[in-house]
């Protein structure tokens, strides 16, 4: 992507609202090529929209998945047809788009707080638990997890791989980010990110972004894990901090109804009002579009899934 992206590009984005009747949005995920967007909600099946020129379809329902799915993630380009879906009741399902059915189910140790794929292998799925550490499953050897680690008893809010898959980043309820080498699971360092709960973590080749209950976002250098900048101005706990595909922007959402986009210097480049509490946020994998899921507002809006592009 060109380096001279105008910072006002987001002011030209238009909102495209999907057909959504599944209540509060729990999670959203783009397919690796950006042609599909999938969402999981509180009251109904997981739904996928196939994006086309001139609009979008009503969406396909994944009838083979449990109704209690809370976290979802599409597999990387090396194996792009698989959707990992983590259910509340200690289960992770692998849905295969080629067969339109669930082909694997993994039993997990605890209540699942996050799920993500290894960015290179296309077979390893990391599942984080609020109170039982992490498990990594290999879809090529699905009988049992290839890694099961307690992470010193830490309660985990979010988990991510580094871009090259060599590191695991785990955001904890105590405010730190624990970084481990993969696949050795050697502990590399602890980032003392937030005074209270670290709610989210994201990785870009240059920076790690964290958002916390102390109402700020922090960017950390990936070379030495030193603090790069602190982004303030939020009135409530930050729940999302996500890098754009080009790595030049960080989209942040807190427990109010604003979504704010910053550059990596910490400067605000765009601010927008969304429909109630933001409960899901993800950039398009190839451009500057992004999708937002919400819980709606009891006063004026219903839960929704929208694409801004």
């Amino acid at each position: 992507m060109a380096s001279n992206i105008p910072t006002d590009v987001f002011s030209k984005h238009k909102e495209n609202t999907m057909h959504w009747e599944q209540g509060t949005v729990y999670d959203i995920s783009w397919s690796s090529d950006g042609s599909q967007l999938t969402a999981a909600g509180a009251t109904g099946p997981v739904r996928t929209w196939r994006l086309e020129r001139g609009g979008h379809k009503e969406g396909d329902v994944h009838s083979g998945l449990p109704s209690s799915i809370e976290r979802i993630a599409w597999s990387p380009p090396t194996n792009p047809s698989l959707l990992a879906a983590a259910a509340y009741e200690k289960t992770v399902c692998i849905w295969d788009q080629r067969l339109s059915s669930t082909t694997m189910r993994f039993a997990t140790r605890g209540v699942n707080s996050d799920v993500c794929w290894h960015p290179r292998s296309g077979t390893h799925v990391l599942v984080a638990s609020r109170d039982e550490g992490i498990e990594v499953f290999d879809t090529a050897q699905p009988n049992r997890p290839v890694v099961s680690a307690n992470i010193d008893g830490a309660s985990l809010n979010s988990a991510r791989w580094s871009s090259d898959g060599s590191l695991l980043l785990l955001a904890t309820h105590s405010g730190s980010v624990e970084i481990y080498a993969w696949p050795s699971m050697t502990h590399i360092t602890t980032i003392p990110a937030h005074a209270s709960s670290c709610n989210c973590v994201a990785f870009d080749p240059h920076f790690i972004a964290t958002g916390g209950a102390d109402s700020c976002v922090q960017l950390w250098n990936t070379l030495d894990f030193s603090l790069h900048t602190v982004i303030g101005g939020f009135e409530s706990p930050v729940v999302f901090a996500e890098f754009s595909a080009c790595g030049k922007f960080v989209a942040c959402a807190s427990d109010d109804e604003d979504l704010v986009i910053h550059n990596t210097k910490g400067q605000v480049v765009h601010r927008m009002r969304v429909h109630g509490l933001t409960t899901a946020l993800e950039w398009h994998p190839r451009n500057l579009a992004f999708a937002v899921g919400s819980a709606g507002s009891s006063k004026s809006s219903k839960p929704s899934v929208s694409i801004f592009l």
Side-chain angles (χ1 to χ4, degrees):
M1 187 171 292
S3 59
N4 58 341
I5 300 170
T7 56
D8 64 348
V9 64
F10 302 107
S11 64
K12 301 177 182 178
H13 277 29
K14 297 186 182 300
E15 181 178 3
N16 296 265
T17 301
M18 309 291 106
H19 175 75
W20 182 253
E21 297 178 347
Q22 280 88 335
T24 296
V25 181
Y26 283 162
D27 202 8
I28 54 179
S29 180
W30 291 97
S31 60
S32 62
D33 65 356
S35 66
Q36 300 177 89
L37 178 68
T38 300
T43 59
V46 172
R47 183 179 291 271
T48 291
W49 298 271
R50 302 173 189 273
L51 308 183
E52 300 175 330
R53 291 183 179 273
H56 58 271
K57 294 183 179 180
E58 287 293 286
D60 300 322
V61 170
H62 298 257
S63 56
L65 292 173
S67 60
S68 59
I69 298 297
E70 293 197 357
R71 294 290 180 266
I72 52 176
W74 277 103
S75 51
T78 50
N79 191 14
S81 63
L82 303 180
L83 178 73
Y88 181 82
E89 66 269 15
K90 303 180 182 181
T91 304
V92 173
C93 301
I94 304 298
W95 188 86
D96 193 327
Q97 185 179 40
R98 296 164 297 186
L99 303 174
S100 296
S101 65
T102 298
T103 57
M104 301 179 198
R105 292 177 186 263
F106 304 127
T108 59
R109 297 185 304 173
V111 176
N112 304 316
S113 58
D114 210 351
V115 62
C116 55
W117 292 85
H118 189 279
R120 298 287 178 87
S121 75
T123 63
H124 291 91
V125 183
L126 184 155
V127 184
S129 166
R130 288 184 175 88
D131 299 304
E132 297 291 340
I134 66 165
E135 294 172 280
V136 179
F137 296 90
D138 186 350
T139 58
Q141 304 174 25
N143 294 331
R144 58 186 178 85
V146 294
V147 167
S148 182
N150 221 359
I151 317 300
D152 294 327
S155 180
L156 302 180
N157 293 328
S158 181
R160 291 292 182 271
W161 303 87
S162 60
S163 302
D164 64 359
S166 65
L167 299 175
L168 295 178
L169 294 82
L170 307 175
T172 73
H173 185 70
S174 63
S176 68
V177 174
E178 304 299 330
I179 300 181
Y180 289 81
W182 175 262
S184 70
M185 288 303 295
T186 302
H187 186 256
I188 301 298
T189 192
T190 296
I191 295 179
H194 298 276
S196 52
S197 180
C198 181
N199 295 327
C200 55
V201 61
F203 188 93
D204 170 78
H206 300 292
F207 300 109
I208 295 168
T210 65
D214 52 4
S215 304
C216 73
V217 170
Q218 298 178 354
L219 300 185
W220 303 81
N221 294 294
T222 55
L223 289 178
D224 59 4
F225 305 114
S226 62
L227 182 63
H228 171 68
T229 190
V230 177
I231 302 173
F234 300 96
E235 298 181 356
S236 56
V238 176
V239 290
F240 295 102
E242 298 285 344
F243 287 107
S244 60
C246 63
K248 297 183 180 299
F249 303 103
V250 185
C252 307
S254 61
D255 280 343
D256 52 34
E257 296 185 9
D258 281 345
L259 189 150
V260 188
I261 298 175
H262 300 81
N263 60 27
T264 54
K265 295 179 181 179
Q267 300 164 328
V268 175
V269 297
H270 187 69
R271 183 186 298 271
M272 58 180 285
R273 201 76 169 164
V274 293
H275 306 298
L277 177 68
T278 297
T279 53
L281 171 64
E282 187 166 314
W283 290 90
H284 190 280
R286 296 188 177 182
N287 57 44
L288 291 177
F290 53 89
V292 178
S294 82
S297 168
S298 58
K299 297 179 180 179
S300 58
S301 62
K302 297 179 179 180
S304 65
V305 176
S306 294
I307 298 174
F308 295 83
L309 75 166

